[in-house]
Amino acid sequence: MTQPLQPLLHDSTVVLTAPSQAWSAVDGTVDGRGIHGFYHSDLRVLDRIVLRVGDAVPEHIQSAGPDAATAVFTSLARQIDDATADPRVRVERTRRVRAGELRESVIVRNALSAPVRTSVSVELRADFSPMQVIKAGLTGAEHPVAVAQKEGGLVLSSGPVSARLTAEGAEIAVDGVQSVLRWAVEVPAHGSVEVAWSVTVDDPSAVVSGASPSAEWSAFAASTGDSRLAGWLEKAIGDLQALRMSTAAQPDEVFLAAGAPWFFTLFGRDSIWAARMLLPLGTEIAASTLRILAHFQGTRSVDETAEQPGKIMHELRPAALTIPGEGVVLPPLYYGTVDATALWVMLLHDAWKWGMPTAEVEALLPHLEAALAWMRDYGDSDGDGFLEYVDTTGHGLANQGWKDSGDSIQWGDGTLADGPIALCEVQGYAYEAAVGGAELLAAFGRQGADEWRAWAGALKARFAEAFWIDDPAGAYPAVALDAAKRKVDTVTSNIGHLLGTGILTPEQSALIARRLASPELSSGYGLRTMSTDAGGFWPLSYHGGSVWAHDTAIAVAGLAKDGHTAEADVLADGLLAAAEGFGYRMPELHSGDSAADTATPVPYPAACRPQAWSAAAAVAVLAARLGLRADAQQGTLEVNPSDGAGRIRVSGVRFAGEARDIEVG
């Protein structure tokens, strides 16, 4: 029996407005294979959308679109054209996806001197397969699907979810779950004919919904001497607008969906990192992300969900998430993350520095105190003074840092480390959270600031003693401590997350900076997740040698904050080279192949795109190049550009609620 395979994504076209998306071949055809389909939330509503003109699929020549929600597929209908060399009958198919809706219009243009009589048809198939089944590469899942003709169109349904399909002027034929829309048309000489159809989804079980675009983000504009940065920023802002969502529980609070196609929902870690990177565009998304995560903050200890008092959640789903073949079953609200709680505190502190309104910050201080207490009382499960994780259920996530695949924490020879695992970067997060949290407590006259400063100081001392590994090429931090408190010795990108947290001495920071810019970690297209010297390195490994844009951007920001601007520019230049190679829509991750060996970055073929933190990485790189330092309490926004910044002019940077223009170079 052939093993099911996860669909590849790299050569498919996506049109999206969260929580809806349409994936197709480059010509717009949805043929039922792999990822192809129109989705709403976690269901594939249609798995087949095939356009024919004159009973033939038009020949594709171009795909384009003004934004993430729209694609225009241009093709030729040569079977109804004349016999001359120039094509004179063309087809323009425009696909638009809004939250809960797919609309298509088809225009047939005729440059001939005589009218053309033909037909336009669209073949559709209702599916309603769950996303987790599609991700596992499975087909034929057992679920009821009904298709019924109603006045003016069709109603497709499965369980509580229904979709209304309309196609004005079309003849509609239904055969089981399949249907065909057909228009008989006459295209006048030197004229055109347009037909259109749409499908609107109603899902009363959804826990998330779409959110309006940000006017502040729309007002942001950048002009740079390096056109790659401007191009990446423009594409990234458009993608981020399409990823804005809210929850049924808090419909007025906006957050960023993690990414398409698999993660159109609230993820604690992903949403926090994306919001943090986007602070130069305003505090709105940070404040609402903080509030929605505070709404779900843990209040009790529940082993099955990994909830604990003060803990920030990992992900939200409408129902339990079963990952076929992996033995993973996650409850609808799952708290299996070791880093989101400290990251929440870090985001609150940084948003305050960027000018989040005082009353909004103050309202979240009880949640801040609970989050800090979680680090002390629950995050350190064995009392050794470090935050660690272990799945106690047997069907949760085995690894609960950002590198959450089963093989992500390896020894230098490639063997897996045994948990509980204490990740190096999580200790850096905890230190920064304790120091930043103490600053907030003191500023607002609340108790505990001195206690948390002392806690952070003790953690810093323990980290220096327990994590560092001597090496002829220069000492470096272990990626983690294993269950026996041994230093897991693989050199990984995790060490880049320590920069800028304050847990390092200047000398330690310089050692890490040198490592990150070395050929073993810097691929020329960004920072590899694992050094090429490691036994488990493979450039197409999800967390063992690939490059993640957000991971690299975190290192770039930390390098810039600690004063290592030359190394920051090296990694930032790598990301810009990768962005250009991917048409400025940075995928979730790409291969760790060296830029010296390939003229363009090699895709990781199953990578999501767009991905919130990959898009937000563009703003993080801009902020690092400009050397932005915000302190709303002092009323200062410092600009200290790096040597690699060149000419940059941006408008619409927001500080303390006001728009700022910045020009350097």
Side-chain angles (χ1 to χ4, degrees):
M1 180 178 177
T2 302
Q3 180 180 350
L5 299 173
Q6 180 177 331
L8 302 183
L9 309 173
H10 66 288
D11 58 353
S12 294
T13 296
V14 61
V15 184
L16 73 154
T17 298
S20 302
Q21 55 188 320
W23 288 80
S24 69
V26 69
D27 68 349
T29 297
V30 175
D31 59 11
R33 294 183 296 178
I35 189 59
H36 288 186
F38 168 58
Y39 299 78
H40 181 68
S41 294
D42 278 341
L43 287 178
R44 179 164 65 182
V45 178
L46 298 171
D47 72 348
R48 188 170 181 82
I49 307 172
V50 178
L51 170 68
R52 290 183 173 85
V53 176
D55 295 325
V57 175
E59 296 173 276
H60 174 256
I61 58 173
Q62 186 193 47
S63 298
D67 52 46
T70 310
V72 180
F73 306 101
T74 302
S75 56
L76 305 177
R78 293 197 294 167
Q79 78 285 356
I80 57 173
D81 208 338
D82 65 12
T84 59
D86 288 345
R88 296 185 180 275
V89 181
R90 61 187 279 176
V91 181
E92 294 169 6
R93 176 187 197 179
T94 301
R95 176 174 293 158
R96 296 180 177 88
V97 172
R98 300 291 185 263
E101 181 182 70
L102 166 67
R103 288 185 174 273
E104 282 199 356
S105 66
V106 180
I107 300 176
V108 182
R109 300 190 185 278
N110 176 20
L112 298 171
S113 58
V116 173
R117 292 181 179 83
T118 188
S119 65
V120 176
S121 65
V122 179
E123 181 184 331
L124 306 170
R125 185 166 63 206
D127 180 42
F128 292 94
S129 290
M131 182 69 82
Q132 64 207 47
V133 171
I134 295 158
K135 189 173 189 288
L138 301 175
T139 59
E142 293 296 326
H143 55 272
V145 179
V147 178
Q149 285 192 282
K150 300 290 184 180
E151 184 177 351
L154 302 173
V155 174
L156 324 175
S157 60
S158 180
V161 184
S162 63
R164 174 79 181 186
L165 187 145
T166 58
E168 185 176 351
E171 296 179 358
I172 303 177
V174 177
D175 182 7
V177 296
Q178 301 188 76
S179 56
V180 177
L181 318 176
R182 182 180 293 273
W183 295 263
V185 298
E186 179 174 310
V187 190
H190 304 292
S192 64
V193 164
E194 180 175 1
V195 301
W197 66 277
S198 66
V199 60
T200 304
V201 185
D202 178 34
D203 181 3
S205 65
V207 295
V208 293
S209 59
S212 300
S214 165
E216 293 178 356
W217 294 1
S218 297
F220 174 82
S223 172
T224 62
D226 186 339
S227 61
R228 299 174 302 175
L229 180 55
W232 185 16
L233 285 163
E234 182 179 7
K235 187 72 170 180
I237 298 301
D239 284 341
L240 290 163
Q241 295 277 33
L243 290 170
R244 289 167 61 91
M245 299 184 74
S246 63
T247 67
Q250 298 276 288
D252 295 329
E253 303 292 7
V254 179
F255 64 91
L256 288 168
W262 315 124
F263 307 121
F264 266 17
T265 190
L266 176 64
F267 277 75
R269 177 192 309 117
D270 301 54
S271 300
I272 290 170
W273 267 122
R276 194 178 187 210
M277 292 177 180
L278 293 173
L279 282 169
L281 302 189
T283 61
E284 171 251 351
I285 195 73
S288 56
T289 298
L290 288 162
R291 286 191 290 267
I292 188 60
L293 291 173
H295 173 82
F296 290 109
Q297 188 174 30
T299 58
R300 56 196 180 125
S301 293
V302 183
D303 289 343
E304 183 64 20
T305 65
E307 180 183 358
Q308 292 169 331
K311 193 175 186 182
I312 298 299
M313 51 82 76
H314 176 56
E315 67 178 285
L316 176 69
R317 300 280 186 178
L321 174 67
T322 300
I323 304 178
E326 296 185 19
V328 174
V329 182
L330 306 183
L333 180 57
Y334 181 54
Y335 289 81
T337 169
V338 72
D339 53 8
T341 306
L343 290 170
W344 186 94
V345 176
M346 292 158 63
L347 176 61
L348 178 62
H349 175 265
D350 286 1
W352 176 58
K353 288 293 185 182
W354 274 93
M356 181 175 163
T358 299
E360 295 182 25
V361 175
E362 190 165 20
L364 290 171
L365 293 180
H367 298 280
L368 164 71
E369 291 164 335
L372 291 171
W374 175 85
M375 295 197 307
R376 178 193 62 211
D377 301 337
Y378 296 93
D380 178 12
S381 60
D382 59 9
D384 68 342
F386 296 116
L387 274 66
E388 58 262 314
Y389 63 83
V390 65
D391 172 49
T392 60
T393 68
H395 55 75
L397 294 176
N399 285 314
Q400 297 184 3
W402 88 260
K403 294 180 179 176
D404 57 4
S405 56
D407 63 350
S408 62
I409 309 303
Q410 302 180 12
W411 291 91
D413 63 4
T415 57
L416 302 185
D418 294 324
I421 296 289
L423 292 168
C424 68
E425 75 272 18
V426 172
Q427 317 317 313
Y429 301 160
Y431 177 87
E432 185 175 353
V435 172
E439 185 180 0
L440 280 164
L441 293 173
F444 284 86
R446 297 175 80 98
Q447 304 260 327
D450 290 342
E451 173 193 348
W452 283 109
R453 290 191 188 100
W455 187 91
L459 174 60
K460 184 172 183 174
R462 284 193 302 272
F463 182 84
E465 180 179 351
F467 270 82
W468 281 82
I469 297 172
D470 290 329
D471 185 79
Y476 65 95
V479 62
L481 304 182
D482 74 350
K485 307 306 174 186
R486 297 176 298 173
K487 302 170 186 177
V488 182
D489 58 353
T490 309
V491 176
T492 67
S493 65
N494 300 58
I495 62 177
H497 292 223
L498 295 166
L499 295 163
T501 64
I503 202 170
L504 303 171
T505 66
E507 294 76 19
Q508 292 169 341
S509 177
L511 286 168
I512 291 176
R514 190 161 62 246
R515 283 268 180 182
L516 296 181
S518 72
E520 291 75 33
L521 282 174
S522 177
S523 72
Y525 292 123
L527 179 65
R528 294 187 181 97
T529 46
M530 185 179 289
S531 169
T532 55
D533 291 339
F537 170 78
W538 173 241
L540 284 172
S541 170
Y542 194 61
H543 288 133
S546 61
V547 173
W548 291 61
H550 90 281
D551 184 36
T552 306
I554 291 168
V556 168
L559 286 164
K561 187 175 181 180
D562 281 2
H564 307 296
T565 55
E567 291 84 353
D569 282 340
V570 167
L571 294 182
D573 282 339
L575 284 184
L576 292 172
E580 183 180 33
F582 288 114
Y584 301 110
R585 173 174 276 171
M586 282 291 274
E588 175 188 19
L589 70 156
H590 56 272
S591 172
D593 287 292
S594 172
D597 298 330
T598 175
T600 58
V602 176
Y604 181 88
C608 294
R609 56 184 171 86
Q611 189 87 349
W613 57 12
S614 290
V619 180
V621 168
L622 172 69
R625 287 244 150 131
L626 290 173
L628 298 183
R629 300 287 185 275
D631 191 339
Q633 290 62 55
Q634 298 297 320
T636 59
L637 177 62
E638 296 180 11
V639 180
N640 186 21
S642 71
D643 291 341
R647 181 185 60 80
I648 299 176
R649 187 183 191 285
V650 293
S651 59
V653 168
R654 299 192 68 84
F655 172 65
E658 300 293 332
R660 299 284 185 95
D661 294 343
I662 297 173
E663 186 168 3
V664 301

